[in-house]
Amino acid sequence: MLSRVNSKLLHTVRRWYSSSRPTIFGLSSGSGKCGVAVVRVSGDACRDVMKIKTQSVTLPEPRKAVLRRIFHSKTTEMIDKGLVLWFPGPNSFTGEDSVEFHVHGGVAVVSAMYDSLGSIDGVRLAEPGEFTKRAFYAGKMDLTEVEGLADLIEAETEAQRKQAMLQANGELSKVYNELRNRLLRCIANIEAYIDFAEDQDVGDDVFESVKTDVASIIVDVKAHLNDQRRGERLRSGVRTVIIGAPNVGKSSFVNLLSNRKVSIVTNVAGTTRDIIESHHDIGGYPVILADTAGLRKETSDIIEHEGITRAKDYLTEADFIVLIVDAGNLQSYLKSSKKQFDDYLDHYVTSLGFKENIIRDFNCMIIINKVDLLSEEFRNAIDRTKNLSMLSCQTGEGLQNVLEKITENLKHLCGNPCRESPNISQQRYRHHLKACIQYLEKYYAYLSHGPNPDLAIATQYLRNAVRCIGMITGNVDTEEILDVIFRTFCIGK
């Protein structure tokens, strides 16, 4: 009953929204001076707007650019000469009549267009995201596609662009719509079993098949959730923390990657006291790089102590760790102790104040800095493990290899977005998917509770699961369950 109420409410809201909204306009291209500015208008008054702005009673051919003089609606002075494109609804982005004016991108031209359009009765400036909101209400896109479009606009790296493009094109929607359809079929089968088992050819095997289908859905949703947050990490950026002892070259490494002086570099130990974040594009992946205070077990400096505490707190929330080792200290230790490289790593990590080996417990990469101080013989003696790279921040030697190793780790952390397996990119998707599993498991638990469970109550758990998926896509219409029943069982034939 609650799902039907929500469905009717959604339809009522959509009808009200369609009938009450005015015609809107806004700048669809980037702000500031540019070669061309695109001013979009959407709504029922678009035909009149075009006639007023072009001083022509003839509408251009749909979806075909035409060159027109564009006039001010109040003063009738010509604002500019540009292209006009006419998109009659429903074949437009918003699903309603739309027109685009492509004018020169000067500030004065755009300002005059705004003043002119705003002076027309029933036409107002669009609110942020209102064109996309109208597209959603018109059924042109669901919420995942809307959010994918927003991510596409905000994308700063190639990997982010690929993920956002897949989502904006509906690849994630396909996953959730297919899941929703499977649940709808389960509900339709149970309702057919309840209502028509005695009169129609609907046997007990239908009810058993639903149990199998629900079990399969639970497995698939859990597999979809078991992605180590790759999509969310790619969307927001991989939080990468640089750690190491004082003066090993952490700040120099950040400056080398940034190609500018982000962090202060001196010979004085403990120069960096706070967390210094910088944003990078490494191999097409977004990285939030955090320079931290040099770590050591003890310090008498209260400010340095606070910096170390903050560094360790940040580390617990990081997605990726870059551990920097001083090549000179490494060489001295191995020469004096006659031990192996792995022994030094254990000693080094312990000297930083960690009780456990973070190299094994976290996604960690090791960089040996200041390799320009090492002899060729000693370089060859160091094991080049999978996550080990040699670097000289002073000369830049080894930087390319470091970037390649970091990129390999980023690929592992963010995955490779593809049509066959689109990533979960939003925390809210994960929240609703977990709630969906909870309802499906409650369905099973209720059926196992007693010998004669109330199937209507059991079905409500499935309806709630469907609603959770609908909350992701923005579709909570469950009336189509009836269509599934009649199409599947041909009842009333």
Side-chain angles (χ1 to χ4, degrees), residues 30-265:
S31 59
K33 291 182 181 180
C34 54
V36 176
V38 179
V39 180
R40 175 187 288 165
V41 186
S42 182
D44 293 339
C46 276
R47 294 172 183 266
D48 295 333
V49 168
M50 265 194 301
K51 293 176 181 178
I52 293 172
K53 297 291 292 176
T54 62
Q55 294 186 359
S56 173
V57 296
T58 304
L59 296 177
E61 184 178 340
R63 291 170 295 281
K64 183 178 181 180
V66 294
L67 184 63
R68 290 285 189 271
R69 289 184 175 87
I70 301 171
F71 299 88
H72 198 291
S73 59
K74 288 191 300 184
T75 65
T76 69
E77 293 181 357
M78 191 175 80
I79 296 174
D80 197 4
K81 190 176 182 181
L83 298 179
V84 178
L85 286 93
W86 164 233
F87 303 95
N91 299 317
S92 68
F93 175 72
T94 60
E96 56 193 12
D97 289 350
S98 299
V99 60
E100 290 181 358
F101 297 98
H102 294 219
V103 297
H104 291 96
V107 175
V109 175
V110 174
S111 179
M113 289 292 294
Y114 269 42
D115 182 64
S116 174
L117 290 168
S119 65
I120 301 174
D121 290 340
V123 181
R124 65 162 173 80
L125 182 64
E127 298 175 357
E130 191 168 3
F131 288 109
T132 306
K133 182 189 293 184
R134 293 193 176 194
F136 167 71
Y137 277 112
K140 292 290 182 177
M141 53 176 55
D142 67 14
L143 288 183
T144 63
E145 292 169 322
V146 168
E147 290 166 319
L149 179 60
D151 289 346
L152 185 61
I153 294 172
E154 296 293 329
E156 296 181 346
T157 71
E158 179 63 11
Q160 285 179 319
R161 183 197 65 79
K162 288 181 179 179
Q163 175 171 281
M165 178 60 73
L166 287 172
Q167 186 169 331
N169 285 343
E171 298 304 327
L172 200 55
S173 296
K174 291 178 183 177
V175 173
Y176 299 136
N177 287 333
E178 173 60 24
L179 176 61
R180 183 171 178 271
N181 289 335
R182 290 168 66 185
L183 287 170
L184 288 174
R185 286 193 293 269
C186 290
I187 296 173
N189 288 338
I190 293 178
E191 291 195 343
Y193 179 86
I194 295 172
D195 296 335
F196 305 106
E198 296 181 359
D199 302 326
Q200 304 290 333
D201 187 18
V202 182
D204 293 341
D205 58 325
V206 171
F207 181 64
E208 291 300 321
S209 69
V210 170
K211 293 176 65 177
T212 302
D213 291 340
V214 170
S216 175
I217 291 171
I218 292 175
V219 171
D220 290 344
V221 175
K222 286 184 176 180
H224 184 54
L225 283 168
N226 187 26
D227 62 347
Q228 285 77 50
R229 294 177 48 253
R230 291 189 181 94
E232 296 162 72
R233 189 181 290 125
L234 176 56
R235 178 175 178 268
S236 59
V238 181
R239 294 173 65 85
T240 301
V241 59
I242 303 172
I243 63 172
N247 276 2
V248 295
K250 299 184 299 300
S251 296
S252 297
F253 178 60
V254 172
N255 292 344
L256 182 63
L257 289 183
S258 305
N259 200 27
R260 61 189 178 91
K261 295 182 179 180
V262 174
S263 300
I264 298 174
V265 177

Side-chain angles (χ1 to χ4, degrees), residues 213-459:
D213 291 340
V214 170
S216 175
I217 291 171
I218 292 175
V219 171
D220 290 344
V221 175
K222 286 184 176 180
H224 184 54
L225 283 168
N226 187 26
D227 62 347
Q228 285 77 50
R229 294 177 48 253
R230 291 189 181 94
E232 296 162 72
R233 189 181 290 125
L234 176 56
R235 178 175 178 268
S236 59
V238 181
R239 294 173 65 85
T240 301
V241 59
I242 303 172
I243 63 172
N247 276 2
V248 295
K250 299 184 299 300
S251 296
S252 297
F253 178 60
V254 172
N255 292 344
L256 182 63
L257 289 183
S258 305
N259 200 27
R260 61 189 178 91
K261 295 182 179 180
V262 174
S263 300
I264 298 174
V265 177
T266 72
N267 293 325
V268 179
T271 302
T272 303
R273 301 298 183 92
D274 208 344
I275 306 295
I276 301 175
E277 290 187 338
S278 55
H279 294 254
H280 301 262
D281 179 349
I282 300 179
Y285 294 91
V287 177
I288 304 172
L289 203 60
D291 187 13
T292 63
L295 301 179
R296 47 186 165 186
K297 282 186 177 182
E298 298 179 358
T299 175
S300 59
D301 189 321
I302 187 172
I303 300 178
E304 184 183 7
H305 182 271
E306 176 62 23
I308 292 174
T309 300
R310 293 187 181 189
K312 291 184 176 180
D313 290 342
Y314 193 99
L315 185 146
T316 61
E317 302 295 329
D319 302 308
F320 183 47
I321 297 172
V322 174
L323 176 65
I324 297 187
V325 178
D326 187 306
N329 293 338
L330 168 63
Q331 182 173 249
S332 299
Y333 178 88
L334 296 183
K335 279 185 176 180
S336 61
S337 66
K338 305 298 182 181
K339 292 185 178 181
Q340 301 299 315
F341 177 72
D342 287 344
D343 296 320
Y344 173 78
L345 284 182
D346 291 337
H347 163 76
Y348 181 59
V349 169
T350 302
S351 71
L352 299 181
F354 295 105
K355 294 181 180 179
E356 298 179 359
N357 193 335
I358 60 173
I359 300 171
R360 291 192 292 265
D361 295 341
F362 293 87
N363 295 305
C364 183
M365 172 181 170
I366 304 166
I367 295 177
I368 299 179
N369 186 33
K370 306 179 184 179
V371 293
D372 50 300
L373 303 178
L374 295 180
S375 64
E376 189 66 28
E377 178 183 358
F378 206 81
R379 287 195 198 190
N380 296 331
I382 298 175
D383 293 330
R384 295 175 178 267
T385 60
K386 181 180 180 182
N387 263 355
L388 175 66
S389 291
M390 302 281 196
L391 175 67
S392 171
C393 290
Q394 183 71 27
T395 66
E397 178 190 351
L399 179 59
Q400 186 59 40
N401 176 260
V402 167
L403 292 175
E404 290 174 358
K405 287 288 180 66
I406 292 177
T407 301
E408 290 176 10
N409 282 277
L410 295 176
K411 287 181 180 179
H412 170 72
L413 291 168
C414 297
N416 183 25
C418 61
R419 285 186 170 86
E420 293 74 20
S421 182
N423 291 331
I424 299 173
S425 61
Q426 300 268 359
Q427 176 59 34
R428 76 174 192 89
Y429 303 167
R430 194 174 301 278
H431 169 77
H432 290 304
L433 288 169
K434 289 180 179 179
C436 175
I437 290 179
Q438 290 176 354
Y439 282 120
L440 295 178
E441 290 176 342
K442 286 180 180 179
Y443 166 83
Y444 256 103
Y446 181 77
L447 290 182
S448 305
H449 186 67
N452 297 307
D454 189 330
L455 296 184
I457 295 177
T459 305

